[in-house]
Amino acid sequence: MNILTVKNIHKKFNNLEVLKGVSLEVNKGEVIAIIGPSGSGKSTLLRCLIRLETIEKGSIEIEEKPIVFEDSNEKSIYSSEKDIRNLRLKMGMVFQNFNLFPHKSVLENIIEAPLTVNGLDRLKAEQIADNLLVKVGLADKRENYPCELSGGQKQRVAIARALAMNPAIMLFDEPTSALDPELTGEVLQVMKDLAEEHMTMLVVTHEMAFAREVADKVIFMDNGEIVEQGTPKDIFSNPTHPRTKSFLGQVLK
Amino acid sequence: MDYILNVTMAVAYGSKITYLLFFSTLIFALPFGLMIALARLSNLPSLKALTSTYIWLLRGTPLLLQIFFIYFGLPVFGINLDRMSTAIIAFSLNYAAYFAEIFRAGIQSIDKGQYECADVLGLTYLQTTKRIVIPQMIKRVLPPMGNEFINLVKDTALVYAIGLSEILRAAKIAVVRDFTITPFFIAAVFYLLTTLILTLFFRKMEQKYAYYE
């Protein structure tokens, strides 16, 4: 089943067209890495999927239900707030800058949405949180505050927090870009574990090794378009498009 | 010594008015100021315009003038308020405008990522405001709020002008009656002690919120 279907989406910031007709399908259990130079529109694409940005043209469906669809004049129409709300809850998002709630402990960060949004009782929510903390290797940090954690630990809490809502797909927006190089490994390991459990994931990343090793499919974006996509082997070993070649030439050196 | 004690008692009696006005103003102006700040930050142009105008009017004219307007002006329209009600209303309306601007600054200083994150987790506007924004805002507004609280203590002396016997007026009566300025010193001690308590209170609050960041 398609978890996510994106057709021909266009996004402009003022007059700058940052997405110029991007289409994409994500199947259940698939791990897709999106790579490309800065300003290529990869992060904007993720933000459009979860409606942190709105699109002008195109359609986005989650589990075959539309968040936004095109009318007969090719203009995008968003579904009702209520429908969108339910569909967005199927997506978990991890941000580059973690965005943990600084005034809440690790545990409170994770149970916040299960309690307030899903209305779980506290005991159940804490159970879920404790399991997730074990999973991301931070069971001993349960009562700590974000300011007491390293960047890598913060990002692992952010992943646990997103997972606590039991999403059908996880969106990662450059999850290791704000980290010191020696801390990226622990975050990538958690993501790798998730991939092995067949979590559906869409990962915008600069970590080529991760993309090559973990992704089922790699998408190369440049200048607001998908230039080339394929298996990691296709993209990294036999890129066909000159722009892909030039980009990989620079980052892989 | 007896004299000082007598005057102190008189000033202490006046301090009841001062403290009543101080706490009443806080009770009304803090929530009202928060509502104004949230309205001003809303996406509705009419609410924005309304609250900006409110803040402009209330900050742009002297508090004393506002007190006079309510006390002498409203009776023209058939609304008669006693002195204490006048004082509480004028102070609450005025201080709400200042509090609103402090709250607004506090809210605006919160990172956009906090809203985005709460949003994608499914929290509603009200849940985000109550559980994510306001708790973080409180920490950030403590220093300017400390200032405003201290200003408020001193501003209560303005109600002297409509004949309310607060600390300063109680002292002034003794000064005129007894030809000595000792009562003014006693009044100063009352103000200083009050602001000292507030200073310590805010220091405690800042320590309490120092648990993060």
Side-chain angles (χ1 to χ4, degrees):
Chain A
M1 182 179 68
N2 272 358
I3 298 272
L4 182 68
T5 312
V6 178
K7 283 193 192 128
N8 193 33
I9 61 172
H10 290 255
K11 168 73 190 168
K12 267 188 203 160
F13 287 119
N14 300 320
N15 282 324
L16 182 68
E17 204 173 13
V18 284
L19 294 177
K20 305 170 181 167
V22 173
S23 300
L24 172 72
E25 281 183 15
V26 185
N27 294 313
K28 193 166 164 49
E30 224 174 5
V31 177
I32 298 184
I34 305 177
I35 60 171
S38 301
S40 57
K42 346 181 261 304
S43 287
T44 305
L45 172 62
L46 275 203
R47 294 172 58 83
C48 286
L49 299 182
I50 200 159
R51 216 214 34 188
L52 284 173
E53 307 289 350
T54 53
I55 58 171
E56 289 94 40
K57 276 173 73 179
S59 66
I60 299 169
E61 288 177 7
I62 304 290
E63 293 182 342
E64 282 147 23
K65 292 184 203 80
I67 282 189
V68 52
F69 52 94
E70 271 195 333
D71 66 6
S72 47
N73 300 322
E74 294 194 331
K75 242 186 89 60
S76 288
I77 310 286
Y78 274 86
S79 301
S80 72
E81 274 304 314
K82 191 167 159 259
D83 291 345
I84 292 179
R85 197 179 142 73
N86 289 331
L87 292 173
R88 288 172 97 198
L89 287 178
K90 295 181 187 296
M91 295 182 266
M93 180 142 182
V94 174
F95 297 86
Q96 184 177 345
N97 296 317
F98 331 125
N99 290 336
L100 294 180
F101 304 129
H103 60 302
K104 291 180 180 286
S105 70
V106 165
L107 177 73
E108 289 166 338
N109 262 280
I110 298 173
I111 63 176
E112 177 62 33
L115 288 182
T116 48
V117 179
N118 289 348
L120 283 190
D121 66 82
R122 199 175 170 96
L123 211 68
K124 185 87 185 68
E126 286 193 18
Q127 243 170 31
I128 294 173
D130 284 331
N131 285 336
L132 288 168
L133 281 173
V134 171
K135 191 176 195 160
V136 300
L138 291 172
D140 57 329
K141 300 290 181 193
R142 189 180 195 265
E143 307 298 334
N144 287 76
Y145 283 87
C147 60
E148 299 163 323
L149 305 179
S150 71
Q153 292 170 332
K154 282 182 195 169
Q155 195 59 296
R156 287 187 278 155
V157 173
I159 293 171
R161 179 175 64 175
L163 289 172
M165 293 299 277
N166 197 22
I169 178 170
M170 286 283 282
L171 311 178
F172 291 86
D173 186 10
E174 302 195 21
T176 57
S177 296
L179 299 177
D180 293 335
E182 74 272 20
L183 299 177
T184 57
E186 57 192 71
V187 174
L188 294 173
Q189 185 58 47
V190 167
M191 293 167 63
K192 218 167 130 182
D193 295 345
L194 279 179
E196 273 160 22
E197 292 168 22
H198 305 293
M199 170 58 85
T200 311
M201 293 158 64
L202 197 51
V203 186
V204 169
T205 187
H206 292 294
E207 298 286 340
M208 296 304 143
F210 175 82
R212 188 199 296 243
E213 191 187 343
V214 180
D216 301 306
K217 189 160 95 182
V218 176
I219 292 177
F220 172 67
M221 277 183 79
D222 190 19
N223 204 14
E225 321 172 289
I226 292 179
V227 175
E228 189 170 352
Q229 53 184 310
T231 63
K233 210 171 152 220
D234 293 341
I235 298 292
F236 289 107
S237 308
N238 303 303
T240 55
H241 200 284
R243 277 194 277 174
T244 320
K245 284 182 187 164
S246 127
F247 172 74
L248 289 175
Q250 279 166 20
V251 295
L252 296 177
K253 271 203 250 289
Chain B
M1 200 60 215
D2 263 3
Y3 177 72
I4 290 178
L5 195 66
N6 279 338
V7 176
T8 304
M9 288 308 290
V11 173
Y13 194 76
S15 74
K16 284 205 300 195
I17 299 271
T18 299
Y19 295 133
L20 179 63
L21 179 57
F22 175 78
F23 286 112
S24 306
T25 302
L26 291 183
I27 287 168
F28 293 116
L30 285 170
F32 187 40
L34 182 60
M35 282 183 338
I36 296 171
L38 291 172
R40 187 150 187 215
L41 291 170
S42 78
N43 295 324
L44 297 170
S46 53
L47 265 184
K48 269 188 162 139
L50 188 70
T51 46
S52 303
T53 310
Y54 178 87
I55 290 168
W56 173 60
L57 285 176
L58 275 286
R59 286 200 312 178
T61 54
L63 174 53
L64 189 56
L65 177 66
Q66 294 161 19
I67 295 170
F68 284 158
F69 181 79
I70 293 175
Y71 193 62
F72 299 113
L74 288 188
V76 176
F77 305 101
I79 302 168
N80 286 294
L81 296 166
D82 65 48
R83 290 168 179 168
M84 198 59 204
S85 308
T86 299
I88 291 172
I89 291 171
F91 270 74
S92 299
L93 294 178
N94 179 276
Y95 267 80
Y98 286 93
F99 290 162
E101 285 297 89
I102 293 173
F103 288 145
R104 181 172 68 93
I107 292 170
Q108 282 181 324
S109 75
I110 289 166
D111 186 62
K112 182 168 129 273
Q114 294 284 304
Y115 291 93
E116 290 187 345
C117 188
D119 188 26
V120 301
L121 284 170
L123 272 70
T124 62
Y125 167 78
L126 272 177
Q127 289 169 337
T128 307
T129 303
K130 193 172 141 229
R131 303 178 61 90
I132 309 300
V133 176
I134 291 178
Q136 293 186 62
M137 176 204 76
I138 290 174
K139 178 181 167 112
R140 293 178 194 203
V141 302
L142 282 176
M145 270 297 166
N147 258 338
E148 284 305 310
F149 277 41
I150 285 171
N151 276 337
L152 174 56
V153 171
K154 296 179 297 179
D155 275 354
T156 55
L158 286 172
V159 298
Y160 181 155
I162 53 168
L164 279 169
S165 290
E166 42 64 67
I167 292 175
L168 185 61
R169 188 176 148 98
K172 178 78 187 308
I173 288 169
V175 165
V176 172
R177 186 188 58 209
D178 307 329
F179 297 106
T180 161
I181 59 160
T182 310
F184 280 155
F185 283 104
I186 293 170
V189 168
F190 268 81
Y191 286 118
L192 286 170
L193 281 178
T194 310
T195 51
L196 177 65
I197 291 168
L198 284 174
T199 306
L200 295 175
F201 169 74
F202 273 91
R203 194 175 298 164
K204 261 245 130 25
M205 289 289 281
E206 283 183 38
Q207 279 164 4
K208 189 186 150 205
Y209 277 93
Y211 71 88
Y212 73 90
E213 275 176 349

